[in-house]
Amino acid sequence: MSFILRRIATTKTGKQIIRDQPLPGDAITLGRDAGNIIHIADLAVNAHHATIGSSDGRHVRVQALGGLGFDFNGRTVDAADIDSAAGAELRFGGHRL
């Protein structure tokens, strides 16, 4: 299993700039610390905030580490199971995945 991180930036004229970055492995880490695979420079995010993994290639498990949770489809949770075919919106601090 591997993940693809797709970063979408919008210019002031409304044009979207899309950059894809493959992230190999069955699990990735997310947090403010630069050693995380997904680095989010936001004080609302813990240094080691969450892990994202999949054991079967279809179902994704997101697990918060420490005291702060994350938003999953508009609700604050500590863990979420996502069907990759359906997708979900995750928020960590001011960042949306």
Side-chain angles (χ1 to χ4, degrees):
M1 170 82 194
S2 64
F3 295 90
I4 296 174
L5 177 62
R6 177 169 287 152
R7 297 176 193 262
I8 302 172
T10 305
T11 66
K12 63 182 175 180
T13 61
K15 179 182 176 190
Q16 288 188 339
I17 300 169
I18 300 171
R19 294 182 183 97
D20 289 345
Q21 176 186 359
L23 303 174
D26 291 336
I28 55 178
T29 57
L30 179 144
R32 194 175 66 242
D33 186 276
N36 287 293
I37 294 171
I38 299 177
H39 173 235
I40 298 177
D42 185 331
L43 292 176
V45 175
N46 284 335
H48 301 283
H49 199 102
T51 59
I52 303 170
S54 177
S55 59
D56 64 4
R58 178 176 170 124
H59 297 92
V60 176
R61 173 82 173 162
V62 183
Q63 179 70 51
L65 307 171
L68 293 177
F70 57 92
D71 284 353
F72 168 66
N73 291 336
R75 299 177 315 150
T76 300
V77 298
D78 291 326
D81 292 307
I82 304 165
D83 181 344
S84 62
E89 181 176 294
L90 305 174
R91 286 189 178 267
F92 296 90
H95 299 268
R96 183 178 64 174
L97 279 80

